[in-house]
Amino acid sequence: KQEVTQIPAALSVPEGENLVLNCSFTDSAIYNLQWFRQDPGKGLTSLLLIQSSQREQTSGRLNASLDKSSGRSTLYIAASQPGDSATYLCAAQGGSEKLVFGKGTKLTVNP
Amino acid sequence: DGGITQSPKYLFRKEGQNVTLSCEQNLNHDAMYWYRQDPGQGLRLIYYSQIVNDFQKGDIAEGYSVSREKKESFPLTVTSAQKNPTAFYLCATKASGYAYEQYFGPGTRLTVT
């Protein structure tokens, strides 16, 4: 059974810092990995999807990488801003239409 | 205006009553999902549907029921058999296939007292 882990559960950084969020999964037989952002009391917003044949995807200041062999994905946020404060979740999709989610990393960017 | 609509945003019910949460989409996505989110527990899958008139149980289906009579709609009923129904409920949709992202609605916060 696929398990997705995100460490740390919470992270606090000063504004302007580059940072990396980690996501690990136990079953490397995934078809894609998706990163989401969730603001308090809101739904999830999709940030990036990396297909299994890709190694990374970029969107603005965000860059996500995928290493299936090691069961890891990272989300790199450049030049962090207070508006980046949110909970970031990753989810792995295996051989069905179901996604398995990590519990998220709560990011706080301090001005 | 495309997207996923969940209504209402907040819902209050007395214990022992069934309640139905609405989820509507105009993205023309085949797959629809219901998740429950509790503090510290992450997202847990309740039910999902890949096609009209068909749906599958997720990890925590007990005490819940769904229907998928139309592609656009996937209502979730929280029955009185659900032991701890107070939670934040999220609906999501996705186009079929592995190249497509899952999209979420704004959520419904259900409080049962």
Side-chain angles (χ1 to χ4, degrees):
Chain A
K1 179 183 175 183
Q2 178 73 274
E3 293 183 1
V4 178
T5 304
Q6 293 184 250
I7 297 173
L11 182 64
S12 182
V13 301
E15 182 177 2
E17 189 163 300
N18 301 327
L19 60 101
V20 173
L21 304 180
N22 297 298
C23 172
S24 61
F25 44 94
T26 55
D27 185 352
S28 62
I30 63 170
Y31 285 89
N32 65 52
L33 190 131
Q34 195 170 353
W35 281 92
F36 297 86
R37 167 187 174 137
Q38 186 177 30
D39 293 290
K42 307 289 186 183
L44 279 67
T45 299
S46 178
L47 297 174
L48 290 163
L49 178 141
I50 313 174
Q51 295 183 59
S52 61
S53 58
Q54 300 170 322
R55 291 193 64 84
E56 63 179 55
Q57 281 285 341
T58 299
S59 176
R61 294 183 294 109
L62 306 179
N63 177 278
S65 67
L66 175 64
D67 184 343
K68 282 181 57 178
S69 62
S70 67
R72 293 183 182 180
S73 177
T74 61
L75 179 67
Y76 174 83
I77 302 177
S80 59
Q81 304 170 358
D84 295 329
S85 297
T87 297
Y88 291 81
L89 297 96
C90 65
Q93 181 177 4
S96 73
E97 291 293 342
K98 292 168 54 176
L99 275 66
V100 179
F101 284 80
K103 293 185 178 181
T105 294
K106 184 177 181 180
L107 173 66
T108 302
V109 181
N110 302 299
Chain B
D1 189 20
I4 304 166
T5 304
Q6 290 188 247
S7 60
K9 187 172 182 178
Y10 299 96
L11 191 53
F12 298 89
R13 281 294 183 270
K14 294 290 187 184
E15 200 171 308
Q17 294 179 336
N18 292 352
V19 59
T20 297
L21 281 60
S22 168
C23 179
E24 303 280 332
Q25 57 112 351
N26 61 5
L27 300 172
N28 200 36
H29 287 170
D30 290 313
M32 297 187 73
Y33 308 77
W34 275 106
Y35 294 92
R36 169 180 173 142
Q37 189 175 37
D38 298 279
Q41 296 258 22
L43 269 72
R44 292 184 288 170
L45 181 64
I46 305 172
Y47 270 98
Y48 67 106
S49 168
Q50 296 178 252
I51 196 169
V52 174
N53 293 322
D54 189 39
F55 48 83
Q56 289 77 41
K57 293 182 179 179
D59 301 317
I60 56 164
E62 185 176 349
Y64 299 97
S65 66
V66 293
S67 63
R68 186 85 186 276
E69 297 177 1
K70 300 186 300 182
K71 189 174 186 178
E72 301 79 16
S73 179
F74 191 41
L76 173 74
T77 296
V78 184
T79 75
S80 57
Q82 168 51 232
K83 299 300 182 188
N84 296 296
T86 294
F88 189 48
Y89 290 87
L90 288 160
C91 176
T93 73
K94 184 180 169 301
S96 293
Y98 302 120
Y100 302 103
E101 299 166 77
Q102 190 167 97
Y103 293 95
F104 281 78
T108 291
R109 186 165 297 280
L110 173 64
T111 302
V112 177
T113 58

